[in-house]
Amino acid sequence: MLEPASVSTSVSEAARAVLSSWVSRKSDSTVAFPSLGPAVLATLLAETTNQAAQDTLRIALQAWLPTAVQRFRDRGLHGGQAGTLAGLRLITDIYQPTIKLVNKVKNWLVEDAVTIPWRTANIRFDDYDLFSGPSGVLLANIVGTTQVDTEITTPLIQHLTALADPGLSGFRIGGYQAHESSGWMQGGINTGLARGVPGVLAALVLAGGNKPGTLAAIRHIAEWLINEAFIDECGVISWTGRSREGSPPPSGVVTRQAYCYGNPGVSWSLWLGGEALDCDRIRAFALEGILTYCRAYDPDIYFYGKDDTHQLGICHVAAGTLSIADAFATHANLAEAAQLRDTLIDLLYNKLDRIIAIGQHDNSLQTNSLLMSASGMLAALLTATGSSRSWLPCLALK
């Protein structure tokens, strides 16, 4: 295991390089993309006393703010208005006073919730999920603060709990008939943390409070997810991306076990649910779930995706699984999760040159998002080696 201090120093230098590259390229971009990446990296760099890092983060935030503080059509946490709100909340302590900007963006979200209500029938992902929907907006309102603004969170909680009947019929997808990329979900219920009901569960626990209606929704989702689980050929407690609802589980090995879909993400959501309900049975199921993954972990099996951007990023494999392992090690004191965390720290650290290259040379829209970028990889590494956890609600973690 590498020494955390040496890892943190090297990763901070990598983060500075990636931010500097982003600033130099941003002026050439015609896409106003409200990415969380620069704000998160700047927040983490603020913890170092290195003057070059301090200078870089200030230049990056000067470049980020004009892009962030504008009105966007999309309201989501990852690629929309809630993401800019989360970023502003993160930087209030390290950059110029931004409370007026926070309130401005928050008010836009409140207005949109009234004028463009979330659908409750024939729903799509952006009507409930963590990435683009109310669950992510809910989490944006607890990033970087212990004070929850009930003006915006209360209607979000009411909407999500109303969908969470015992059979979760409110979450059945009905808006993707013949859709090219999401048609596979038509008529089903999504079981991934990113796009499905585990993200709702996590958001309600982290930002929803302990009112009876919220706790009932948490229990409904947790019980439903337990009923959907099966054990694959590797002995890993697993979920399909689309609800089985009584149909036989697939045979063989489930290879998509990551943050976005599969065991690590769902097990984390269930652990949160067990904690909120103080339910030993749900907690135990969640812990056994992540333990089965820790025991079976094999990058040759689980590194999902075609390239390093997929395999090392938060969404699909390494950085996201690292963050979840770190969460289980930190909050559940799980030794096996700590061991997996250390393994993934070493893996990502040993690919640091490749991560820097991704951050400096990939000019796609995803370059500075959290989920499929060098920014997310570096943020996960920094936090797992002792830096701030304030940004983790952006991932439904803590």
Side-chain angles (χ1 to χ4, degrees):
M1 169 61 187
L2 297 162
E3 290 296 323
S6 64
V7 172
S8 184
T9 299
S10 297
V11 179
S12 293
E13 283 300 304
R16 188 170 75 85
V18 168
L19 275 182
S20 296
S21 176
W22 174 74
V23 171
S24 68
R25 295 195 318 272
K26 181 178 180 295
S27 60
D28 298 329
S29 174
T30 58
V31 180
F33 185 62
S35 167
L36 267 168
V40 169
L41 275 191
T43 301
L44 295 171
L45 276 182
E47 297 180 14
T48 179
T49 57
N50 181 283
Q51 188 58 50
Q54 296 292 320
D55 293 342
T56 298
L57 75 88
R58 285 180 173 82
I59 292 169
L61 290 179
Q62 288 169 357
W64 182 78
L65 274 171
T67 300
V69 186
Q70 55 183 296
R71 196 157 190 171
F72 295 98
R73 181 193 64 183
D74 295 329
R75 293 176 284 178
L77 177 55
H78 295 283
Q81 200 76 74
T84 65
L85 176 61
L88 288 168
R89 286 188 181 279
L90 283 173
I91 68 174
T92 51
D93 292 333
I94 64 169
Y95 196 61
Q96 63 188 44
T98 55
I99 188 64
K100 290 183 180 179
L101 299 178
V102 169
N103 287 334
K104 185 175 185 177
V105 174
K106 184 203 73 175
N107 288 336
W108 285 337
L109 283 166
V110 172
E111 291 171 11
D112 285 349
V114 174
T115 58
I116 316 171
W118 313 103
R119 290 178 289 261
T120 57
N122 294 319
I123 67 166
R124 300 162 69 100
F125 295 141
D126 60 0
D127 292 311
Y128 69 90
D129 79 3
L130 188 151
F131 280 12
S132 61
S135 295
V137 180
L138 191 57
L139 289 169
N141 281 275
I142 64 167
V143 169
T145 181
T146 56
Q147 296 181 335
V148 177
D149 191 332
T150 57
E151 179 185 10
I152 191 167
T153 60
T154 297
L156 295 172
I157 294 166
Q158 290 173 343
H159 170 72
L160 292 170
T161 55
L163 296 176
D165 57 76
L168 304 195
S169 61
F171 293 109
R172 193 169 302 284
I173 297 294
Y176 290 126
Q177 184 70 39
H179 192 278
E180 182 178 356
S181 60
S182 300
W184 67 282
M185 273 305 310
Q186 182 72 11
I189 299 171
N190 192 290
T191 65
L193 177 61
R195 293 295 194 183
V197 293
V200 179
L201 171 57
L204 288 175
V205 173
L206 293 172
N210 59 357
K211 294 182 178 180
T214 306
L215 292 176
I218 290 168
R219 184 175 294 280
H220 293 161
I221 298 172
E223 297 287 1
W224 187 90
L225 284 168
I226 290 172
N227 288 335
E228 280 285 314
F230 62 94
I231 298 175
D232 80 347
E233 200 170 277
C234 282
V236 177
I237 293 176
S238 302
W239 290 263
T240 55
R242 176 190 165 112
S243 52
R244 294 188 300 114
E245 301 179 82
S247 65
S251 59
V253 176
V254 177
T255 57
R256 195 170 189 183
Q257 307 278 20
Y259 172 86
C260 55
Y261 284 98
N263 180 308
V266 183
S267 291
W268 170 251
S269 296
L270 283 171
W271 186 83
L272 286 175
E275 288 285 281
L277 297 167
D278 194 21
C279 177
D280 290 338
R281 180 176 59 83
I282 295 174
R283 257 191 307 253
F285 189 94
L287 290 173
E288 181 59 23
I290 194 63
L291 281 171
T292 64
Y293 178 81
C294 290
R295 294 169 189 147
Y297 168 76
D298 183 341
D300 290 336
I301 297 175
Y302 297 124
F303 270 42
Y304 178 88
K306 60 185 178 181
D307 55 30
D308 284 346
T309 303
H310 287 267
Q311 294 185 0
L312 303 181
I314 285 175
C315 191
H316 286 177
V317 197
T321 303
L322 166 60
S323 295
I324 292 173
D326 180 52
F328 271 111
T330 301
H331 299 294
N333 196 29
L334 194 64
E336 291 86 349
Q339 183 176 357
L340 178 59
R341 174 191 62 195
D342 294 346
T343 297
L344 289 166
I345 287 172
D346 289 354
L347 183 149
L348 284 166
Y349 183 78
N350 289 328
K351 292 182 178 287
L352 204 53
D353 288 346
R354 178 58 189 149
I355 293 172
I356 293 171
I358 291 170
Q360 291 181 326
H361 302 298
D362 182 355
N363 292 311
S364 73
L365 191 65
Q366 297 286 1
T367 300
N368 294 291
S369 76
L370 272 180
L371 304 172
M372 296 282 286
S373 71
S375 298
M377 299 168 201
L378 295 171
L381 263 174
L382 284 167
T383 293
T385 52
S387 294
S388 172
R389 308 182 73 83
S390 62
W391 65 282
L392 289 178
C394 298
L395 304 180
L397 303 175
K398 64 176 184 174

